[in-house]
């Protein structure tokens, strides 16, 4: 497990990209689940954020789904973040 402070650069930069791409305030909160991205933090000292679409009421269940518009909007936020990082 790892803990990325909400005021860390990666969190604030990504939140700004999501805000600009989606036109709304993103939710920033700790994720209380394991993901493979934790290995990047633990083994490579790489800052990370987890972000993506989900239908919270059906996540990891037999009827799990994600709306296509949510996938496209998430991709816009990620693309804007990457663009800004590469532009630096």
């Amino acid at each position: 497990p790892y803990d990325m402070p909400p005021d860390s650069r990666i969190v604030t930069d990504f939140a700004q990209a999501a805000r600009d791409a989606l036109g709304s305030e993103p939710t920033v909160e700790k994720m209380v689940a394991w993901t493979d991205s934790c290995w990047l933090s633990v083994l490579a000292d790489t800052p990370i954020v987890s972000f993506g679409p989900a239908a919270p009421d059906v996540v990891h269940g037999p009827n799990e789904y994600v709306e296509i518009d949510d996938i496209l909007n998430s991709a816009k936020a990620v693309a804007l973040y990457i663009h800004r990082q590469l532009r630096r």
Side-chain angles (χ1 to χ4, degrees):
Y2 72 97
D3 185 22
M4 189 60 54
D7 62 348
S8 65
R9 183 174 174 179
I10 190 170
V11 173
T12 58
D13 285 357
F14 192 88
Q16 185 63 52
R19 189 177 300 114
D20 293 344
L22 306 176
S24 61
E25 192 65 30
T27 301
V28 176
E29 61 188 12
K30 288 185 181 185
M31 185 173 150
V32 292
W34 177 262
T35 69
D36 288 339
S37 60
C38 293
W39 291 115
L40 292 171
S41 178
V42 172
L43 299 176
D45 197 29
T46 302
I48 58 171
V49 296
S50 295
F51 174 81
D57 296 337
V58 296
V59 69
H60 301 311
N63 297 318
E64 181 175 17
Y65 68 91
V66 178
E67 299 288 342
I68 292 173
D69 284 346
D70 292 343
I71 295 170
L72 296 174
N73 286 333
S74 293
K76 290 175 187 177
V78 172
L80 183 57
Y81 172 78
I82 291 170
H83 172 75
R84 288 177 175 172
Q85 294 306 304
L86 293 175
R87 201 175 61 190
R88 289 184 176 187

